[in-house]
Amino acid sequence: RLGRPAEAEAVASGIVARAAEDALAARRAVFLLGLIAAARADLARLQAARSALGGPREPAWQADATELDAHAALLLARPAQAAALAAEAAVQRQAALDYRGLSRALALQGRAVERQGDALGAADLLLRAGRGAAERGEAADARAWLGEARQLARSRGAVRVAADAQALLAAMA
């Protein structure tokens, strides 16, 4: 979240190593390790994190597992599957009132949709992700997603989406 993945990875790995002390924290740390692996396009570590989550029954953990599955599908060049899984994760995050996770899932879905060739659909999803992040004060994520949305929208002549993204970016300045 602070843009320091090496530090986050070290802390998360330490928490996982002490899983017996706090199983809940260890599960969250495993998910974080999966996100870090996805960001690095490290499929083996991503799959290891997903495997460590198992088949959770709790809705929040199901959303984590689904999100990691979507990342894996994207790394395996299966954008349609990734988009469907990311959409499912978004629904799960919304049901759990996890709005930060919802924005992350929408952005992931947007990237998958873009890989399918739908730049306008991707721009709309990234705009939604960025808008939510901006509303919660998550400036770094908001700027990244809104910037992507604006660029995609401009490349396809989607004036409204580009203008909406620009307006949100300007409001954050």
Side-chain angles (χ1 to χ4, degrees), residues 14-51:
I15 292 169
V16 171
R18 295 184 311 276
E21 295 173 23
D22 189 344
L24 181 63
R27 282 186 87 107
R28 295 304 302 164
V30 165
F31 175 65
L32 177 59
L33 290 171
L35 290 179
I36 291 168
R40 293 179 177 164
D42 185 339
L43 184 60
R45 287 184 187 223
L46 172 57
Q47 289 174 326
R50 173 57 186 92
S51 179

Side-chain angles (χ1 to χ4, degrees), residues 142-171:
R143 283 188 184 97
W145 294 331
L146 291 169
E148 286 180 69
R150 180 183 58 193
Q151 179 181 348
L152 286 169
R154 284 180 176 167
S155 75
R156 295 295 187 245
V159 176
R160 182 196 56 81
V161 174
D164 288 351
Q166 182 59 45
L168 287 165
L169 285 164

